[in-house]
Amino acid sequence: MTTMSQPTGIPARTRPRSLSGMQPTSDSLHIGNYLGALVNWVDLQESYDAFYFVADLHALTVPTDPEVLRRRTRVTAAQFIAGGVDPQRSAVFCQSHLPQHAELAWVMNCLTAFGEAGRMTQFKDKTAKGQQANVGLFTYPMLMAADILIYDADKVPVGEDQRQHLEITRDLAMRFNQRYGQTLVVPEPHILKETAKVMELTDPTSKMSGTNSPEAGLVLLSDDPKRIVKKIKSAVTDAEREIRYDPERKPGVANLLVMESALTGVPIPTLEAGYAGKGYGDLKSQVAEVTVAAVRPFQERMKELLDDPAELDRILASGAQRAGAVSAATMDRVKERIGLLRPA
Ligand code: TRP
């Protein structure tokens, strides 16, 4: 949003800035993450100065093996790039490479009321499910606020599940500005329209989820073609024969049409017309075929990136350098405003 009033002292920018992050919590994204989130990140590069990072500090809120964390951090960054984020145009980096995230998070902690943090639904849901909570999990939203505010981000593309975190980020930015004078950009949430909301293959009434769905219900971007075909051919449909988009009564068939449409760009009604007189076997073969075709170049690029970790680390270093220029300037402004004495 270029039209929003810019706080004084914020460097002028030619393009508005978009920013988002993903936690390195799995060894592969699934097709739902790809169509629901990454595709939007890629599109935003056209008109925004984009910053995309691996939220490795957030991943520490759950105990993780150090080697697994390191591997997944590289894999997650590589997936951004293999999915179409262009590191020449957009800053691709690792959260922990910029110390200002944690530094500003402390300032955000000190602006947040205890009760306010306690009302965050993600924390409540996770602990209600029995997850062992550490203080990091409790203050997770304040680190996320820092991630966003440290880059003067205008637009933050996230899923619906992150809406409350965006709201507290805006509240904290406004609170800071009110208390200390205009300093931080208040970001606009960009809640991703679930036009391509992909459901589980084994239960098309549940959203495809890397943490909750059974393996057979997920198409992983790392799955080999045979596996993709097998999973899609075993997708749950219904006892009818007609191929039409009716998510209420025919969620399995609707999900396959959503996937095909999102992967090919062909509108659902056009697909439906093309399937007139055909059966579920035809639908599944075609969806499997377009999925394999979409995943193949992604996997080739992933392989190149992971085969050359030094090059990937260089990409992350150059992303961190670009990000660091912004985050250091913001942190200076913040320290000045809140009265932290500068070292001589
Ligand atoms: N909490 C986000 C998620 O789990 C990841 C994230 C961390 C993020 N920091 C962010 C997203 C800043 C957007 C902006 O999906």
Side-chain angles (χ1 to χ4, degrees):
M1 305 277 123
T2 34
T3 50
M4 80 190 333
S5 69
Q6 293 295 340
T8 48
I10 293 180
R13 283 175 271 143
T14 47
R15 298 207 303 172
R17 192 168 289 149
S18 77
L19 166 137
S20 198
M22 246 184 232
Q23 292 191 61
T25 42
S26 77
D27 283 309
S28 177
L29 291 178
H30 55 71
I31 197 95
N33 303 130
Y34 173 68
L35 293 172
L38 201 48
V39 165
N40 289 279
W41 291 20
V42 172
D43 287 348
L44 283 169
Q45 297 181 113
E46 299 302 326
S47 35
Y48 286 80
D49 182 23
F51 283 59
Y52 298 127
F53 68 94
V54 181
D56 54 349
L57 296 176
H58 277 108
L60 297 178
T61 56
V62 180
T64 311
D65 175 79
E67 276 315 314
V68 172
L69 178 60
R70 224 184 317 274
R71 181 182 77 231
R72 289 180 171 173
T73 298
R74 285 207 181 94
V75 164
T76 303
Q79 290 182 132
F80 296 174
I81 299 166
V85 172
D86 174 5
Q88 301 286 342
R89 280 197 286 170
S90 306
V92 175
F93 60 100
C94 191
Q95 186 186 30
S96 67
H97 292 182
L98 286 315
Q100 294 85 9
H101 289 253
E103 219 178 343
L104 185 61
W106 178 255
V107 176
M108 292 298 135
N109 282 339
C110 297
L111 278 179
T112 308
F114 194 83
E116 188 178 24
R119 284 192 293 276
M120 301 305 290
T121 52
Q122 195 161 81
F123 179 78
K124 288 199 289 187
D125 291 349
K126 285 187 174 166
T127 48
K129 280 190 205 135
Q131 182 171 328
Q132 280 293 332
N134 53 44
V135 177
L137 192 67
F138 188 64
T139 62
Y140 180 116
M142 283 63 85
L143 176 58
M144 180 159 160
D147 295 338
I148 297 167
L149 301 176
I150 199 82
Y151 296 111
D152 302 328
D154 300 292
K155 190 161 188 158
V156 184
V158 286
E160 178 60 41
D161 60 332
Q162 300 295 315
R163 184 188 287 278
Q164 204 189 20
H165 292 156
L166 262 271
E167 277 163 12
I168 198 171
T169 301
R170 287 170 56 83
D171 288 346
L172 289 168
M174 289 188 273
R175 192 173 304 160
F176 188 104
N177 290 343
Q178 204 168 31
R179 204 168 287 181
Y180 299 109
Q182 289 294 312
T183 312
L184 299 172
V185 173
V186 180
E188 291 294 323
H190 174 56
I191 305 295
L192 298 171
K193 279 189 260 100
E194 307 249 16
T195 39
K197 184 165 172 186
V198 180
M199 312 302 277
E200 261 173 36
L201 298 175
T202 42
D203 171 10
T205 60
S206 303
K207 194 176 159 193
M208 191 179 278
S209 152
T211 42
N212 299 324
S213 303
E215 155 77 30
L218 292 169
V219 176
L220 296 174
L221 294 183
S222 60
D223 280 342
D224 64 48
K226 268 204 204 121
R227 206 175 174 83
I228 293 177
V229 172
K230 185 161 171 248
K231 284 177 174 178
I232 292 176
K233 293 233 158 144
S234 320
V236 168
T237 49
D238 54 61
E240 296 179 13
R241 314 195 34 179
E242 207 193 335
I243 300 172
R244 67 193 155 80
Y245 180 74
D246 182 349
E248 287 292 312
R249 297 186 45 221
K250 300 166 74 67
V253 169
N255 188 39
L256 293 171
L257 289 168
V258 164
M259 284 173 61
E260 183 173 354
S261 172
L263 287 166
T264 57
V266 178
I268 290 178
T270 312
L271 293 176
E272 281 177 308
Y275 282 121
K278 294 192 179 158
Y280 291 174
D282 302 304
L283 171 66
K284 287 177 171 179
S285 314
Q286 196 158 317
V287 173
E289 194 180 308
V290 299
T291 307
V292 167
V295 162
R296 188 177 292 122
F298 175 91
Q299 292 185 350
E300 285 167 3
R301 188 82 182 97
M302 276 302 279
K303 187 174 171 341
E304 281 170 22
L305 289 158
L306 295 175
D307 280 350
D308 189 355
E311 172 59 15
L312 184 58
D313 290 355
R314 273 193 294 279
I315 292 174
L316 291 174
S318 104
Q321 200 168 21
R322 260 176 79 184
V326 181
S327 62
T330 309
M331 204 59 219
D332 272 354
R333 236 163 46 227
V334 164
K335 285 180 172 171
E336 171 69 28
R337 292 293 171 112
I338 61 184
L340 291 172
L341 185 67
R342 306 264 183 109

